Amino acid sequence: ISITGNHDYDWDENKQIRNRHSSKVSKYASFTSLKQCIMAQFEKDLIDNIVVKHYIHGKRFDILCLEFAPRPEVVEWANQYVSSHRSHNFILLTHEMLDGNENIITDEDSHARRQFKSSSLSSTPQYVWNHLIRNNDNIRCVLCGHKGFSQYYDKLKNDAGRNVPHILFNIQDVKNGGNGLVEVWEIPQDCDSVHVKVYNTMYNTVYNDSTSNIINARRTQFSFSL
């Protein structure tokens, strides 16, 4: 599964994105196995905004994939789908959400506001929270990237009163592009907890940098339901 980030689009001389369809993600990350699992698709033949059927230990956890700074009509499409499938749990993947300092990116600080000249072409993390996440308790957690390195955030309560876990992983600014770092989620069978750790594939060790103020320098645990 791949989702688009701001670097996946063509920029003009002012670093602005004027064409939503300049991303080629649907051409280089479109696999037969993925197509077989797509339950919903915002645009035909494009995987920028899709719902992917997925199970965790036999329980339905569909993956909702949204483009960078999703257009308002994309957010509305996602909201209608999630709200009409209350029996399904969802993991939301989107590029820009956390600021790397344990906060949701505000409208004023959103990169989308700088790279899209027209607000009709994009929305901000605050918009996605207010129009999709907060009113759908079956969105169990959010996974994002874009800014910072590794972060866990659960300070926002949705309309059901549950703190929604947000997990950030972004290695573009790490030395050598991360040196093979990956984020691993361990979900024990018959257990609601999720153990998150950053793993160094070069040295086969859990990443641990005592000089960095990174929450995933230690194991992080969250729950899908609390």
Side-chain angles (χ1 to χ4, degrees), residues 50-217:
I50 56 176
V51 177
V52 181
K53 181 170 63 175
H54 184 64
Y55 293 89
I56 297 177
H57 299 316
K59 190 173 182 179
R60 191 73 174 262
F61 274 89
D62 288 353
I63 300 174
L64 173 60
C65 304
L66 298 183
E67 63 193 6
F68 166 62
R71 290 160 283 176
E73 59 265 34
V74 169
V75 177
E76 176 57 27
W77 163 81
N79 178 59
Q80 289 184 3
Y81 187 90
V82 172
S83 62
S84 63
H85 292 80
R86 292 296 185 190
S87 63
H88 296 184
N89 296 296
F90 291 88
I91 297 172
L92 171 60
L93 270 61
T94 190
H95 186 67
E96 182 187 41
M97 186 59 70
L98 299 180
D99 65 1
N101 293 307
E102 300 189 25
N103 296 297
I104 296 289
I105 295 174
T106 63
D107 287 345
E108 295 75 19
D109 294 331
S110 174
H111 211 82
R113 283 290 185 258
R114 296 193 291 274
Q115 288 208 269
F116 287 98
K117 194 168 185 178
S118 171
S119 60
S120 65
L121 291 175
S122 69
S123 64
T124 65
Q126 277 190 329
Y127 186 93
V128 175
W129 167 261
N130 287 325
H131 293 83
L132 174 61
I133 303 172
R134 69 176 301 168
N135 59 310
N136 289 298
D137 191 41
N138 51 337
I139 295 181
R140 310 310 291 176
C141 64
V142 179
L143 178 61
C144 64
H146 185 64
K147 194 172 183 179
F149 171 37
S150 183
Q151 178 186 341
Y152 173 74
Y153 176 86
D154 68 348
K155 302 298 189 297
L156 285 179
K157 289 184 181 292
N158 63 15
D159 290 347
R162 180 176 63 88
N163 290 1
V164 182
H166 289 64
I167 300 91
L168 177 148
F169 186 56
N170 170 47
I171 58 175
Q172 65 176 321
D173 297 321
V174 181
K175 184 179 179 181
N176 298 326
N179 280 334
L181 296 178
V182 297
E183 185 175 84
V184 178
W185 288 26
E186 295 177 331
I187 306 173
Q189 197 162 6
D190 300 323
C191 185
D192 185 51
S193 63
V194 181
H195 303 282
V196 181
K197 61 185 178 182
V198 174
Y199 192 78
N200 190 318
T201 61
M202 290 182 65
Y203 299 103
N204 296 325
T205 59
V206 175
Y207 180 83
N208 188 9
D209 184 351
S210 60
T211 65
S212 301
N213 184 23
I214 298 168
I215 194 164
N216 271 351

